[in-house]
Amino acid sequence: MKRIVGFVSVAAIAVSACGSPPGVEARDAWSRPVPPVAPATAVFVEIHNGTTDVVTLTGADSAACSELQLHETALDEAGVMSMRPLAGLAIAPGDKETLAPGGIHLMCMSPDTALEEFAITLRLRNAEDVVVEVIVEDR
Amino acid sequence: MTARRLSVIAASVLVAAAFAWAFVIPNLRPHVFHGVVMQSLAEAPAIDLQATTGDLVSLDSFSGSLVVVYFGYTHCPDVCPTTLSTLNKALSRMGDKADDVEVVMVTVDPQRDTVALLAEYMAYFNESFIGLTGSVEDIATVATTYGVYFAANEGDGESGYTVDHTAHLMVIDRAGHLRLVLPPHLGPEEIAADLEYLS
Ligand SMILES: [Cu+2]
C-alpha cells in the first residue's frame, strides 16, 4: 500500500511540474508606442482558457493606466470604424481568444507612455485574476 | 540526340522561363492597384482648415505633391495609430520618393483635438505629418465632400465619447485629382507600391 501512495505523489509532482497547470494563461501582451500626449492606447493580448469552465474577461487594471476597459472596434462595409465598450469576452474551455488591432482591445486611458513595459491585471469571471507584462513595441 | 542532351535543353528552357517569370514579366505587367482607383478624374474637393503648422491650409498649398488624406482623432486608440504607423512605414520604404508625399489627418474630433495636441501627436509618427482642424461645421463640409462619415457617440465616465468615422485613406495625385481610395487593412508594402506608382 505504501508503494502505491508513493507512486501517486510522484505522479502529482510530475503533473504540476509540466509548466501549464490547468488555468487561464495570458500570452504575448503588447501595446503600440504612442506619443506622450496620446489620451489613450490599446493593449492586445492572447488569452488561453485551460480550465473546464467558460471564463469571461471583463476588464483589467494597471498602474500605467487611469482606467483599462474592454472595447471592440468594428469596421462596416462602407469602411466606417466604430468603437464600443464590451461587457465581457467569453472564452470557451480549452479555447483561446486573441485581442488584436481592428478587433477587441483593452483601452488604456491616460497611459504612462514613458514605459517600455508594464504589468496589467486581467479581471476574469470564473477564474482568478491573471497578471501579464505588456511589451510596448511597434508591430 | 541523346537523352542527356535533351535533359540539358529542358533544364535550360526551364531556367529561362523561371528568369522571365521572375524578372521580365513583372516589369511588363501594368501596375495593379491595391486601393480602389477613382474612374472619373474629378478634382479633389477643397480643404480649407487650420493646420498644425499654424497656418490655414488649402489643398493648393500641397500642389505638385501626392497628398494622403485621413480622417481620424487622437482619442482613437486602435485604428488611428495603426494607420499612422503603417503610413510612416510605407513612406520609409519609398526612400526619396517619399519626399513629396504629404500625409494629412483631418480630425473628426475638433472639440478635443486642439492644434497643439494634434501637432505633437502627428509629429510623433512622422515629423512631416500634418494635422488639420477647424470648426465642426468646416470639418463636416470637408468630410461630406470626400464621402467621409463621422459621428460622435455618447461616452461613459472617464473614457469620454468615441467618434465613428470612415477609415479609408484618400490619395490626391500631383495634378490635384482624387485618384485612389485605400481601404484601412492595407499594409505598408501595398500602400508604398500604390504611392510609388503615382509619384
Ligand atoms: Cu477603445
Side-chain angles (χ1 to χ4, degrees), chain B residues 96-119:
Chain B
D96 291 348
K97 284 186 169 179
D99 291 351
D100 41 33
V101 177
E102 297 284 356
V103 172
V104 163
M105 181 174 92
V106 179
T107 179
V108 290
D109 185 15
Q111 215 182 323
R112 289 182 299 192
D113 285 345
T114 60
V115 172
L117 171 56
L118 260 181

Side-chain angles (χ1 to χ4, degrees), chain A residues 32-35 37 39 41-42 44 66-67 69 73 75 78-84 101-102 105 107 109-110 138-139, chain B residues 74-79 81-82 85 89 117 120-121 124-125 149 153 156 158-159 162-168 184:
Chain A
R32 198 179 293 288
V34 290
V37 289
T41 189
F44 307 106
S66 64
E67 223 183 306
Q69 301 176 339
T73 299
L75 196 67
V80 176
M81 194 278 290
S82 60
M83 183 174 75
R84 298 282 183 278
H105 61 262
M107 170 107 144
M109 304 304 301
S110 317
D138 196 9
R139 291 197 183 173
Chain B
T74 66
H75 277 71
C76 154
D78 181 5
V79 176
T82 303
S85 161
K89 286 178 195 147
L117 171 56
E120 216 179 314
Y121 190 83
Y124 178 84
F125 293 96
Y149 166 88
N153 293 293
D156 65 320
E158 200 197 338
S159 67
T162 61
V163 186
D164 295 359
H165 64 93
T166 305
H168 289 137

Side-chain angles (χ1 to χ4, degrees), chain B residues 123-163:
Chain B
Y124 178 84
F125 293 96
N126 185 307
E127 285 287 324
S128 76
F129 287 5
I130 297 169
L132 294 181
T133 185
S135 66
V136 178
E137 294 75 35
D138 287 349
I139 289 171
T141 305
V142 172
T144 308
T145 53
Y146 278 87
V148 164
Y149 166 88
F150 73 96
N153 293 293
E154 292 280 303
D156 65 320
E158 200 197 338
S159 67
Y161 58 91
T162 61
V163 186

Side-chain angles (χ1 to χ4, degrees), chain A residues 60-132:
Chain A
D61 284 300
S62 172
C65 317
S66 64
E67 223 183 306
L68 205 46
Q69 301 176 339
L70 191 61
H71 283 180
E72 183 166 32
T73 299
L75 196 67
D76 73 9
E77 280 161 21
V80 176
M81 194 278 290
S82 60
M83 183 174 75
R84 298 282 183 278
L86 201 63
L89 173 66
I91 311 165
D95 216 349
K96 71 160 186 183
E97 285 289 342
T98 305
L99 277 62
I104 298 170
H105 61 262
L106 286 159
M107 170 107 144
C108 169
M109 304 304 301
S110 317
D112 183 346
T113 56
L115 302 173
E116 285 172 5
E117 221 180 297
F118 56 91
I120 62 170
T121 305
L122 301 176
R123 302 286 176 221
L124 303 162
R125 201 181 300 139
N126 254 348
E128 296 279 305
D129 292 350
V130 171
V131 178
V132 61

